Amino acid sequence: MGEYDEIRSLRAGAALAISAHDLDRKTALAQETARRWHARRLSLRSPLDPELPDRPGRPERPVLVPPKAVEKRSLHTLPGRIALLHALAHIELNAVDLALDIVARFATEPVPHSFFDGWMQVAFEEAKHFRMVRERLRALGADYGDMPAHDGLWQAAHSTRNDLTARLAVVPLILEARGLDVTPSLQEKMRETGDVESAEVLKVIYEDEKGHVAIGAKWFRFLCARERKDPARTFQDLVRANFRGALKAPFNDLARAEAGLTPSFYRSLTSTSSG
């Protein structure tokens, strides 16, 4: 395991993975760090840990553009399915870096070690998702980087870099929860077009994402309880302060509730009721 000698602590491994430009190396570092942490073979942090980069390492492609510049295409065509999978690969790649960033950036927070267990599980699974989607893209004759992608996810997260509670509100409880709302219908559309393989990839992602939202909700509630704050009201205040735009219905209320994110959190923030 000589190539992973630089994983001296959990924070070091997370920072190295975030910084990696090569995506095979990034996902391998994320998963190896997670394995060692879960096996209790790493300390949380060390004075020798590398600096955390402002932006994650990325290959030269895809070109990053504003969200509105990414065109929508029909899933009933092969280019449309490739475009959806490419967008999904980009989301999963950002999710790898965001899970690692929660760990590395907040490694000095007074939280139990099980907090880091949860986020390294998320990082491990997001790396698995990215690889699955990329393999599917390649099977369809494409690859990640072939088309432009948007930078909105990292920007939304970066605005909460100094506040763990706000970060949990924005990343798992808005961005990941959005996946619970949209993935079942995308899965269904993939099946309708006969692309069962892509539908199966979406199914794996959907089941794992429920757990990721649950981890976010658990720790959000934990931090609110510690500060004696009402979680639903705190969530609404943080979203208004840190997230541009209203939350979009329809919501997958059942999957959200199973993950501990009840309608009292998000109903008052929808575009219909908040104007």
Side-chain angles (χ1 to χ4, degrees), residues 163-185:
D163 182 343
L164 178 55
T165 313
R167 171 64 66 90
L168 294 176
V170 169
V171 174
L173 303 190
I174 295 182
L175 301 177
E176 291 242 31
R178 184 77 191 126
L180 300 186
D181 303 333
V182 299
T183 307
S185 65

Side-chain angles (χ1 to χ4, degrees), residues 155-199:
Q155 287 168 356
H158 196 61
S159 72
T160 59
R161 64 192 177 278
N162 299 319
D163 182 343
L164 178 55
T165 313
R167 171 64 66 90
L168 294 176
V170 169
V171 174
L173 303 190
I174 295 182
L175 301 177
E176 291 242 31
R178 184 77 191 126
L180 300 186
D181 303 333
V182 299
T183 307
S185 65
L186 291 175
Q187 209 177 301
E188 196 51 45
K189 283 176 188 159
M190 285 290 191
R191 281 189 200 287
E192 282 167 19
T193 64
D195 191 342
V196 178
E197 293 87 350
S198 295

Side-chain angles (χ1 to χ4, degrees), residues 95-145:
V96 175
D97 286 318
L98 287 170
L100 294 167
D101 191 73
I102 286 176
V103 167
R105 190 170 300 280
F106 299 104
T108 54
E109 290 279 322
V111 287
H113 270 38
S114 53
F115 173 88
F116 301 103
D117 294 348
W119 290 110
M120 287 313 294
Q121 179 191 330
V122 173
F124 187 95
E125 290 173 353
E126 303 290 19
K128 175 187 78 175
H129 297 168
F130 175 75
R131 286 180 174 165
M132 286 171 69
V133 179
R134 190 173 198 183
E135 273 172 35
R136 186 67 198 130
L137 273 172
R138 286 171 170 167
L140 294 173
D143 198 0
Y144 178 66

Side-chain angles (χ1 to χ4, degrees), residues 32-260:
E32 181 60 22
T33 302
R35 282 190 203 99
R36 291 188 189 186
W37 173 254
H38 287 135
R40 295 296 181 254
R41 287 163 51 208
L42 289 177
S43 62
L44 178 56
R45 54 185 191 268
S46 149
L48 303 172
D49 293 342
E51 284 290 305
L52 198 54
D54 256 353
R55 294 191 59 81
R58 288 281 183 271
E60 284 177 15
R61 294 164 64 226
V63 176
L64 295 179
V65 296
K68 292 204 168 36
V70 181
E71 60 181 295
K72 300 268 190 291
R73 298 181 186 173
S74 165
L75 289 186
H76 292 281
T77 66
L78 179 60
R81 292 202 299 283
I82 287 171
L84 173 81
L85 289 165
H86 191 279
L88 190 59
H90 187 64
I91 288 167
E92 297 301 329
L93 177 60
N94 273 281
V96 175
D97 286 318
L98 287 170
L100 294 167
D101 191 73
I102 286 176
V103 167
R105 190 170 300 280
F106 299 104
T108 54
E109 290 279 322
V111 287
H113 270 38
S114 53
F115 173 88
F116 301 103
D117 294 348
W119 290 110
M120 287 313 294
Q121 179 191 330
V122 173
F124 187 95
E125 290 173 353
E126 303 290 19
K128 175 187 78 175
H129 297 168
F130 175 75
R131 286 180 174 165
M132 286 171 69
V133 179
R134 190 173 198 183
E135 273 172 35
R136 186 67 198 130
L137 273 172
R138 286 171 170 167
L140 294 173
D143 198 0
Y144 178 66
D146 285 355
M147 45 190 70
H150 74 74
D151 200 31
L153 285 172
W154 185 259
Q155 287 168 356
H158 196 61
S159 72
T160 59
R161 64 192 177 278
N162 299 319
D163 182 343
L164 178 55
T165 313
R167 171 64 66 90
L168 294 176
V170 169
V171 174
L173 303 190
I174 295 182
L175 301 177
E176 291 242 31
R178 184 77 191 126
L180 300 186
D181 303 333
V182 299
T183 307
S185 65
L186 291 175
Q187 209 177 301
E188 196 51 45
K189 283 176 188 159
M190 285 290 191
R191 281 189 200 287
E192 282 167 19
T193 64
D195 191 342
V196 178
E197 293 87 350
S198 295
E200 285 302 307
V201 169
L202 285 166
K203 187 177 177 213
V204 171
I205 291 174
Y206 177 65
E207 292 303 327
D208 286 347
E209 298 291 356
K210 286 186 202 169
H212 301 177
V213 177
I215 288 165
K218 168 188 166 178
W219 291 108
F220 184 81
R221 289 176 185 279
F222 170 87
L223 293 173
C224 289
R226 192 166 69 182
E227 294 168 25
R228 293 187 171 76
K229 288 179 175 172
D230 174 75
R233 186 167 301 128
T234 304
F235 175 72
Q236 290 156 17
D237 292 344
L238 288 168
V239 171
R240 290 191 179 107
N242 294 287
F243 192 73
R244 273 173 255 148
L247 305 192
K248 294 187 190 83
F251 298 107
N252 185 341
D253 288 330
L254 186 61
R256 282 168 169 252
E258 282 173 6

Side-chain angles (χ1 to χ4, degrees), residues 3-4 6 16-17 20 22-30 131:
E3 64 176 309
Y4 296 120
E6 71 269 55
L16 288 163
D22 179 278
L23 302 182
D24 290 331
R25 177 171 163 77
K26 182 188 289 288
T27 50
L29 278 167
R131 286 180 174 165

